[in-house]
Amino acid sequence: WLMKEPDLEEEVLSAVITGDSMQITRRTMAETVSAVTITAPSGETQSITLTPAGEGIWTAAIPISEMGLYALNDSALNAVATAGPLNPKEFLDVRATEDKLAPVVTATGGGAFWVRAGVAALPDFRRVRPDRDAAGRNWAGLIKNERYRVRAVSQTTLLEPLIALALLLGALLLGWRREAR
């Protein structure tokens, strides 16, 4: 992390997570500080009162049990802290390759098409029956399941017929009167 050294008069709220605990530090020249509200990754909130730890420094330490982003907020400042690995397994290699997609392609009977600049844009799309191939050379099939169920139909008139007739006649009369001038 690259941080600038704060001015002595600048107020700072910070949090550092080490292991299973979070150390909260608040720097201010004020005589008192507001309680800090901590929002855990699950959305659960708790309020922590800071204790003086020296001239202009207030601190608290709390245990944490969830991995993710913690948001801190007092009446004037906000801060965030992250618990857990910086690069979780899901984000180690996010490239889509044919090897990674092969199980899904095989299970669905589909195909993989790579769109590249300068190459034919998208494959042709066709409707296919469920028992037919869903992909071929430069074409992709959209399965025509014909499975749908209408559970309810609700219709509401936009205008009552008599009101619509009155508006139509009024518009005709206004147009006729204007043209008659």
Side-chain angles (χ1 to χ4, degrees):
W1 292 74
L2 178 63
M3 296 177 58
K4 72 177 184 92
E5 184 65 31
D7 297 330
L8 291 177
E9 295 178 8
E10 186 177 9
E11 295 191 9
V12 177
L13 174 64
S14 64
V16 176
I17 296 177
T18 307
D20 292 343
S21 69
M22 179 188 320
Q23 180 70 31
I24 303 164
T25 305
R26 172 79 156 87
R27 289 182 43 178
T28 182
M29 298 304 289
E31 296 294 323
T32 60
V33 294
S34 301
V36 176
T37 302
I38 302 168
T39 306
S42 64
E44 184 178 313
T45 61
Q46 63 177 326
S47 184
I48 301 296
T49 303
L50 302 177
T51 58
E55 289 188 29
I57 298 175
W58 300 74
T59 63
I62 63 164
I64 59 168
S65 59
E66 299 177 51
M67 288 190 353
L69 188 67
Y70 286 82
L72 291 83
N73 180 359
D74 70 0
S75 59
L77 299 171
N78 296 316
V80 293
T82 304
L86 292 176
N87 296 316
K89 290 180 182 179
E90 301 89 50
F91 297 111
L92 287 178
D93 188 10
V94 294
R95 295 174 294 168
T97 64
E98 288 189 33
D99 296 337
K100 291 181 181 179
L101 294 176
V104 176
V105 170
T106 304
T108 59
F113 300 95
W114 302 102
V115 180
R116 296 183 190 104
V119 181
L122 291 173
D124 291 330
F125 290 98
R126 304 176 185 170
R127 297 293 269 169
V128 296
R129 292 193 309 258
D131 57 340
R132 303 296 302 233
D133 290 337
R137 183 184 172 113
N138 205 26
W139 68 271
L142 299 173
I143 297 175
K144 186 177 180 179
N145 287 321
E146 295 183 6
R147 292 183 191 166
Y148 54 88
R149 181 177 298 169
V150 178
R151 296 199 181 258
V153 175
S154 176
Q155 295 180 342
T156 304
T157 58
L158 183 61
L159 288 174
E160 291 295 324
L162 291 176
I163 295 173
L165 181 63
L167 288 174
L168 181 64
L169 288 176
L172 285 171
L173 286 172
L174 281 173
W176 175 67
R177 182 172 182 225
R178 185 174 179 148
E179 288 297 322
R181 285 186 190 180

